[in-house]
Amino acid sequence: MADPAPKTTVFETMSSLARALGAINLGQGFPEMEEPGELIAAAQRALAQRSNQYPPMRGLPELRGAICAYYARTQGLDLTLDNVVVTSGGTEALAASLLALVRPGDEVVLVQPLYDAYLPLVEWAGGVAKFVSLTPPDWAFPLDALKAVIGPKTKGLVLNTPNNPVGTMLSGKVLEAIGELAREHDLWVLCDEVWEGMVFDGTPHVSPLAVPALAERAIKVGSAGKIFSMTGWKVGWAVAAPALAARIAGRHQFLTFTTATPLQWAVAEAFALPAMWHREHLARYAAAKARLTDGLTAAGFAVLPASGTWFVTIDLAASGLPADDVQVAERLVREAGVASIPVSAFYAQDAERGYLRLCFTKEPAVIDSALARLAAFRAAI
């Protein structure tokens, strides 16, 4: 019998409900703000003046070089073109990496709450997922639980910093401890870092590639869609030691082979934008986050601290609401006209059910309208 079709994700379900009910969609994570004109102009120039034919399978050398230069400036990483494979979005980078690394029966440790693609990708590669969970409400990383779950069949670990959905980040100290475990047990580490350009509180972003024990065994996944807020472009990359990058490229060539050439040129040009551009771009999103967070707090919602991503998390019990995120999310979209995402959707087992995720990448008027609806809903509980 054929495998059953994958279930529709909670993101698509809530977005469909929002469309059907005319609700404000604070669920799915894409911006509804003015898009960067510099990138649109760069893409237009590329369409007219650059090639629209196949680029090299591993990505335009100009883009790979721009990625290396960006990480040298922002994270002090010493990279060459041989470290980089350009992919069709961060999810394809994850898929190519897992297909390159996982063999049937291999155990892979996943950290909950987790982005919804990790588990099916591990399973499609024939792997067996083992789970550890961050500890709410501060979402601390469970080093002791990680040590306990590693066994003779464990081959690797998938990390996410900043974390989607809760926005916390892994410190250098935690990554060094993970590095020692990886070296002791000969594990690879796949780190989803697509939110690295969207950190609002000054917390330094530390990549596993900056940790000596992980430099030769870690893969860093990045995304132009998140750095430049152009999610529909689907330009991502995997960065790893050359031998590891070559293995990833070997899988990438039979997944998508390559990524839209004009968009690669446009992203390469975008990486040459000055540091001030990035600061101003980030400030727009910081203002949107503050607007939503301040409004929620004023309405009596308990918003948990978060360093990065486009999301904030509400503690339902501390907000005087039932600690049942699915029920509250359903009521919010139907009764208040605001779509959210239950954090329990980011778990494969033993889910935390007391938290909701809201996306703040909306124009001020949309955020204000959503806040009025959310405040009225809470007042009526």
Side-chain angles (χ1 to χ4, degrees):
M1 181 181 292
D3 289 340
K7 295 180 181 178
T8 301
T9 68
V10 68
F11 313 103
E12 181 58 30
T13 298
M14 294 305 292
S15 290
S16 296
L17 267 176
R19 288 191 295 270
L21 299 172
I24 297 171
N25 190 354
L26 302 187
Q28 196 165 6
F30 57 85
E32 292 178 333
M33 301 164 69
E34 183 180 359
E35 294 169 342
E38 296 89 343
L39 272 79
I40 293 172
Q44 290 171 332
R45 285 193 298 273
L47 281 164
Q49 301 172 18
R50 302 284 192 177
S51 173
N52 289 281
Q53 306 305 325
Y54 290 134
M57 180 268 289
R58 289 183 62 151
L60 289 172
E62 291 83 356
L63 176 54
R64 291 157 66 200
I67 291 166
C68 294
Y70 174 75
Y71 286 139
R73 292 193 308 270
T74 60
Q75 297 177 27
L77 299 178
D78 183 13
L79 304 170
T80 70
L81 270 61
D82 289 340
N83 294 110
V84 182
V85 180
V86 176
T87 60
S88 293
T91 301
E92 200 238 319
L94 293 166
S97 299
L98 289 168
L99 288 171
L101 294 169
V102 179
R103 296 293 175 266
D106 286 354
E107 292 182 355
V108 180
V109 181
L110 304 180
V111 183
Q112 303 182 119
L114 72 168
Y115 176 55
D116 65 335
Y118 302 158
L119 177 57
L121 290 175
V122 167
E123 291 178 338
W124 290 348
V128 177
K130 298 293 182 179
F131 300 97
V132 297
S133 297
L134 303 180
T135 306
D138 60 350
W139 308 103
F141 189 88
L143 281 170
D144 288 342
L146 176 59
K147 293 176 185 177
V149 81
I150 294 172
K153 295 183 179 180
T154 306
K155 302 299 181 182
L157 166 66
V158 180
L159 301 174
N160 181 201
T161 183
N163 176 273
N164 177 16
V166 297
T168 54
M169 300 173 70
L170 296 176
S171 67
K173 183 177 180 180
V174 168
L175 286 171
E176 287 170 4
I178 291 171
E180 289 306 310
L181 287 172
R183 183 158 54 188
E184 178 183 350
H185 297 280
D186 192 22
L187 307 179
W188 49 259
V189 173
L190 174 59
C191 193
D192 179 352
E193 303 177 46
V194 300
W195 298 104
E196 61 197 343
M198 286 288 153
V199 178
F200 304 102
D201 64 355
T203 300
H205 176 81
V206 183
S207 171
L209 291 181
V211 177
L214 292 172
E216 297 297 318
R217 61 178 69 245
I219 305 101
K220 172 187 181 71
V221 171
S223 167
K226 303 306 190 297
I227 292 172
F228 298 105
S229 305
M230 303 292 271
T231 60
W233 281 18
K234 298 298 291 180
V235 178
W237 48 83
V239 182
L244 198 48
R247 292 175 63 185
I248 295 166
R251 297 299 181 176
H252 159 69
Q253 69 178 327
F254 297 120
L255 284 171
T256 63
F257 177 65
T258 189
T259 299
T261 310
L263 297 183
Q264 290 197 47
W265 281 113
V267 173
E269 187 172 323
F271 272 124
L273 290 166
M276 179 60 72
W277 185 93
H278 286 275
R279 288 194 291 269
E280 291 174 351
H281 183 67
L282 186 65
R284 294 177 58 220
Y285 286 81
K289 179 182 180 181
R291 193 179 197 97
L292 181 60
T293 300
D294 292 348
L296 288 169
T297 302
F301 291 94
V303 182
L304 297 180
S307 295
T309 76
W310 290 335
F311 313 109
V312 298
T313 305
I314 294 172
D315 184 327
L316 293 174
S319 302
L321 297 169
D324 184 336
D325 58 352
V326 173
Q327 178 196 88
V328 174
E330 286 273 353
R331 290 190 61 187
L332 276 177
V333 71
R334 296 184 184 280
E335 299 174 26
V338 178
S340 60
I341 297 292
V343 169
S344 62
F346 295 86
Y347 285 77
Q349 62 183 38
D350 303 321
E352 294 286 347
R353 301 194 177 277
Y355 305 93
L356 275 186
R357 191 192 82 169
L358 298 173
C359 180
F360 57 76
T361 56
K362 316 296 174 183
E363 294 291 351
V366 175
I367 293 175
D368 290 345
S369 180
L371 285 168
R373 298 181 187 192
L374 291 165
F377 177 85
R378 186 182 176 279
I381 294 295

